[in-house]
Amino acid sequence: MRVPPVIFPLLFSLAVCHGYRLLGLFPFQGKSHFVMFEQLLKGLARKGHQIDVVSKFPLKKPYPNYTDIVTLPMPIKLVNNMTFDIMRQLFAENPTYIVATMAGNELCECLEHPEIKQLAQPKNPPYDAVLIEVFGAHCFGIIAHLLKVPLIGVSTTSLYPWLPSLIAQPESLAFVPSNVLSFTGRMNFWQRLYNTVRTYYDKWYFNYLTTREQDKIIREQFGPDMPGVRELERKVSLILINSHIALNGIQPKTPAAVDVGGLHVQDEDQMLQPELEKWMNDSKNGFIYFTFGSMMMIETFPPEFIRVLYVSLGKIAPTRVLMKIPSPEKLPPGLPGNIYMSPWMPQIKVLRHPNIKGFITHGGLMGTQEAITCGVPMIGIPLFADQFMNIDAYVARNIALRLDLDTFTEERMDAALNAILWDPLYMESARNLSRQFLDRPLNPLDTAAYWIEYVIKYGEDSLRSPAMDLSWWQLSLVDVIGFLLLCATIVIAVTAYITRFVLGIINGDNSSSHLKKTN
């Protein structure tokens, strides 16, 4: 039987899906941040979009539709390279200052690279959108401005105080605490007062530190008539936020603020070493997983901290302990026999193992979201930044216990380990929260892809809030309240005048009648 020639073009058209060309600009040197960006970009690539990436973390293996077009230099190595002393010195600074300078102004200097400047030139085929991290270096929005395409932001945490204004996200300071504070649940008056003052201070301080410096860099590299960074921020069409109501609570959201918490929890590229897999399978009494993330070197912590770890972790045998240690040979002697060490772990596969009983963590958002996804209770020992707030939020939900470095003792560590291992409250709460966290109409990656495609299809203003075009006094209805007060004042004044006038006439008539009767 002959197939009509027209069938082949039809079949071909069915096989071809329309993909967009997207440019991802992610210059920050934090590996924990890039974990989310990498999974987002890979997911978009799997959906048929062409992804070009500028970062400091090029892929080790080729990936379909994903191209590292520029790899930026790494002046500060933060992967498995931060000692205890450096951590204490670095994070003694105001976190807003660190974000605005190290993760902001200093990164904007990358705009002077010829390869970055070349990205602002028209391409064939053209880019359909630019993705950047909304954190500190919003100067990279100049590329989207010059290419005349939508600018899409990605936040690896809930929104920092200076970010809601980018999309007119309601702040609701009466019941939504700033993500630099550890307030959980209903705030009292003093907490609401501090939340308000601190939020406005952080916004002002961030803008003060970044506006002049980033405006200068933008105009030096692209011309004196270029918009400033504050104007570029207002061009953000959408922010994908690493948050979820199960973790961050209820708050009003503009459509341009899209929750995609847990998007990075993918184990596509993770492989279990046979030796590690056998060790976990043989842990019939369960095991606890211990890591301080991608940056910290546990072996550089104070000797007393290491001693307490050895003693307390040794006591829980035959329960085993799996530890990520960048340089195991640098640990002091005396390691208990129930501990297995490795400089690298396929973390999600570890957390998904049926024999795991708990997770000892510094409280980084990425790792703790992975534990929540897998329903694993935690012992949190926060070190810096948002880790204190994260752990406090988990303590309030009965899925974690918090220990502090300054009060870290053998007794406290023993009590925390026994609670996680033997009190069913923590495991049950962790599993319940996991179910709530995962219960969504679309998974985080599909949600992100849908809204990115939506903005590209319907225009950069398709999710823009009308509040973006109003001043603060209009948003707060100061003009409306003032007008109503003025009207009320006029009505009261006119009513009082008429009343006095009428009373005057009545009193005048009464006086005349009285005089006539007297005469």
Side-chain angles (χ1 to χ4, degrees), residues 310-385:
Y310 281 9
V311 174
S312 293
L313 295 176
K315 288 178 184 178
I316 65 173
T319 300
R320 292 173 160 186
V321 180
L322 180 60
M323 292 182 68
K324 174 187 171 294
I325 303 289
S327 302
E329 69 279 2
K330 294 182 180 179
L331 282 172
L335 189 75
N338 62 329
I339 294 181
Y340 179 99
M341 294 184 301
S342 175
W344 176 85
M345 296 285 180
Q347 184 157 294
I348 299 172
K349 288 190 178 296
V350 169
L351 290 169
R352 282 180 171 158
H353 197 278
N355 288 341
I356 193 166
K357 299 294 185 183
F359 180 33
I360 302 175
T361 172
H362 62 315
L365 184 59
M366 299 300 176
T368 55
Q369 282 186 346
E370 291 166 5
I372 289 167
T373 299
C374 300
V376 180
M378 293 173 272
I379 296 174
I381 308 175
L383 304 177
F384 53 81

Side-chain angles (χ1 to χ4, degrees), residues 367-493:
T368 55
Q369 282 186 346
E370 291 166 5
I372 289 167
T373 299
C374 300
V376 180
M378 293 173 272
I379 296 174
I381 308 175
L383 304 177
F384 53 81
D386 65 339
Q387 296 162 12
F388 299 90
M389 181 202 70
N390 296 338
I391 295 300
D392 286 344
Y394 305 148
V395 169
R397 289 166 171 80
N398 293 320
I399 65 167
L401 292 159
R402 171 173 164 174
L403 300 174
D404 292 306
L405 285 177
D406 296 334
T407 58
F408 189 76
T409 63
E410 185 179 333
E411 292 74 20
R412 286 188 168 94
M413 185 64 174
D414 289 347
L417 286 168
N418 287 328
I420 289 296
L421 288 172
W422 309 118
D423 188 341
L425 170 67
Y426 296 99
M427 183 63 78
E428 290 171 4
S429 299
R431 288 173 177 169
N432 287 336
L433 184 60
S434 175
R435 284 191 288 269
Q436 185 181 358
F437 186 59
L438 296 173
D439 193 353
R440 318 181 195 189
L442 284 176
N443 68 48
L445 183 56
D446 288 340
T447 300
Y450 173 83
W451 288 109
I452 289 172
E453 293 165 1
Y454 184 96
V455 166
I456 295 173
K457 283 189 288 187
Y458 301 113
E460 60 185 10
D461 292 335
S462 54
L463 299 178
R464 180 183 173 87
S465 169
M468 293 292 293
D469 301 318
L470 300 176
S471 61
W472 69 266
W473 49 270
Q474 290 172 314
L475 283 173
S476 302
L477 295 177
V478 172
D479 53 344
V480 173
I481 294 171
F483 177 77
L484 292 175
L485 288 174
L486 176 63
C487 291
T489 302
I490 292 172
V491 169
I492 292 170

Side-chain angles (χ1 to χ4, degrees), residues 54-69:
V54 174
S55 76
K56 295 179 178 177
F57 300 98
L59 298 185
K60 295 178 181 178
K61 297 186 297 183
Y63 199 88
N65 297 334
Y66 185 118
T67 306
D68 289 297
I69 57 172

Side-chain angles (χ1 to χ4, degrees), residues 163-170 230-239 254 256 460-461 463-472 474-475:
L163 297 179
S165 60
L166 275 59
I167 52 173
Q169 165 65 18
R230 302 282 83 87
E231 185 178 346
L232 291 174
E233 288 176 341
R234 295 177 62 83
K235 296 179 180 294
V236 173
S237 300
L238 164 70
I239 299 181
T254 180
E460 60 185 10
D461 292 335
L463 299 178
R464 180 183 173 87
S465 169
M468 293 292 293
D469 301 318
L470 300 176
S471 61
W472 69 266
Q474 290 172 314
L475 283 173

